[in-house]
Amino acid sequence: MSRVSSILPDEAVFDDFKKQCLATDNWQNKYDSNGMQVWIEVRAVNKGNNVPKVHKMKCKMIIKDVSAATMFDVLHDSQYRKKWDLTMQESFDIARLSANADVGYYSWRCPIPLKNRDVVTLRSWKVTDDEYIMVNFSVKHPKYPPRSDLVRAVSIQTGYYIKAAGPKSCTFTYLSQADPKGSLPKWVVNKASQVLAPKVMKSVHKAGQEYSNWKSQNSPGFKPWLHPEQNTLPMMDPAELSIQRADSLENVDESSKLDANEGEDSS
């Protein structure tokens, strides 16, 4: 791989991501009900660094009424996302980096008293006969620096592994290690992710159930994520991007607002 394109995920990245999604060793099951499982990675204790970190978490769902191909389309279709993602504030693709990679912007609403968050990510995907893999991570884009009205979050590694189980069924796995930044304690972030992940997965599943009908009335043949020749985004040199590290972003102080609401929900 050349130095210029080194930021783009290669086969080893996709293989490792799939391996993580399928692994059970060093993963602790936190939730298992109605075809939904939530796991967190069990890490070795590092005595030299006691700073708590955000967990790597994965959520696996068995889908019996939507195909793997449709679920993959749902994740990619930015126009459809406006219909089902109720937390989204703004989202758009910025540029394409290759036939199977792009860079995009996404911001979302957070519950009061938290500030809303945003993220700039490099997304890449791989499609085989019965598997779909999508991975993303945060990058620095020269034209989209952090904004004063939002907290810039960081996706260390986030993605999906979708495996076909039949013509209308699949296993759908979401894996993420992300830091929302701000002043949220890491234990709060870790606990919240375990609770929110199943809710998000159920929303994506419902979106998958309704996608075919919606798509039949909204440019049914337009799927640039599968047909690169349809992509009208400007090309961008991957060398203009660099990986966004969480420790290079300041923590915005939300503590005064959090203190004012302390005790309202002790769960």
Side-chain angles (χ1 to χ4, degrees), residues 56 88 123 152 159 179 195 205 219 237 265:
K56 184 176 290 183
M88 183 179 75
R123 176 180 62 174
R152 177 60 51 91
D179 189 342
V195 175
H205 179 201
S219 305
D237 186 344
D265 185 359

Side-chain angles (χ1 to χ4, degrees), residues 123-162:
R123 176 180 62 174
S124 187
W125 56 94
K126 177 183 177 182
V127 177
T128 60
D129 290 340
D130 63 348
E131 291 182 338
Y132 301 81
I133 302 174
M134 181 191 299
V135 295
N136 79 57
F137 54 88
S138 284
V139 292
K140 297 179 182 178
H141 190 293
K143 295 183 179 179
Y144 295 91
R147 292 166 43 175
S148 60
D149 60 325
L150 298 168
V151 175
R152 177 60 51 91
V154 176
S155 168
I156 301 168
Q157 183 184 50
T158 300
Y160 301 87
Y161 170 68
I162 312 171

Side-chain angles (χ1 to χ4, degrees), residues 6 15 17 48 52 55 67 106 108 115 122 128 148 163 192 197 211 220 230 232 252-253 255 263:
S6 62
D15 290 344
F17 184 82
H55 287 152
S67 70
Y106 179 81
W108 66 98
K115 292 186 71 173
L122 188 161
T128 60
S148 60
K163 172 75 171 180
Y211 181 70
Q230 297 179 344
T232 58
V252 177
D253 185 14
S255 58

Side-chain angles (χ1 to χ4, degrees), residues 32-208:
D32 191 343
S33 179
N34 297 320
M36 181 91 69
Q37 297 178 334
V38 177
W39 304 72
I40 60 169
E41 185 182 37
V42 179
R43 293 177 302 227
V45 177
N46 183 353
K47 295 182 179 179
N49 183 6
N50 294 320
V51 178
K53 297 182 179 179
V54 289
H55 287 152
K56 184 176 290 183
M57 179 275 304
K58 63 182 176 182
C59 188
K60 178 181 178 181
M61 176 171 53
I62 298 173
I63 296 177
K64 299 180 179 180
D65 56 357
V66 185
S67 70
T70 296
M71 293 305 298
F72 183 69
D73 288 346
V74 167
L75 295 175
H76 268 284
D77 200 320
S78 58
Q79 291 302 311
Y80 184 57
R81 186 158 193 163
K82 298 174 183 178
K83 301 291 183 181
W84 66 267
D85 188 350
L86 301 181
T87 64
M88 183 179 75
Q89 179 173 309
E90 186 178 14
S91 179
F92 54 86
D93 300 326
I94 298 171
R96 49 181 167 156
L97 306 171
S98 70
N100 68 321
D102 58 22
V103 59
Y105 175 88
Y106 179 81
S107 64
W108 66 98
R109 303 178 186 90
C110 294
I112 296 173
L114 303 179
K115 292 186 71 173
N116 294 337
R117 262 64 177 173
D118 73 348
V119 68
V120 175
T121 57
L122 188 161
R123 176 180 62 174
S124 187
W125 56 94
K126 177 183 177 182
V127 177
T128 60
D129 290 340
D130 63 348
E131 291 182 338
Y132 301 81
I133 302 174
M134 181 191 299
V135 295
N136 79 57
F137 54 88
S138 284
V139 292
K140 297 179 182 178
H141 190 293
K143 295 183 179 179
Y144 295 91
R147 292 166 43 175
S148 60
D149 60 325
L150 298 168
V151 175
R152 177 60 51 91
V154 176
S155 168
I156 301 168
Q157 183 184 50
T158 300
Y160 301 87
Y161 170 68
I162 312 171
K163 172 75 171 180
K168 286 285 187 177
S169 59
C170 63
T171 56
F172 186 87
T173 304
Y174 167 72
L175 184 149
S176 179
Q177 185 176 24
D179 189 342
K181 298 300 291 181
S183 60
L184 286 172
K186 295 296 184 284
W187 70 267
V188 172
V189 174
N190 292 331
K191 186 67 176 179
S193 66
Q194 298 171 31
V195 175
L196 293 175
K199 295 181 180 179
V200 173
M201 295 284 274
K202 290 175 182 177
S203 295
V204 179
H205 179 201
K206 187 174 187 298

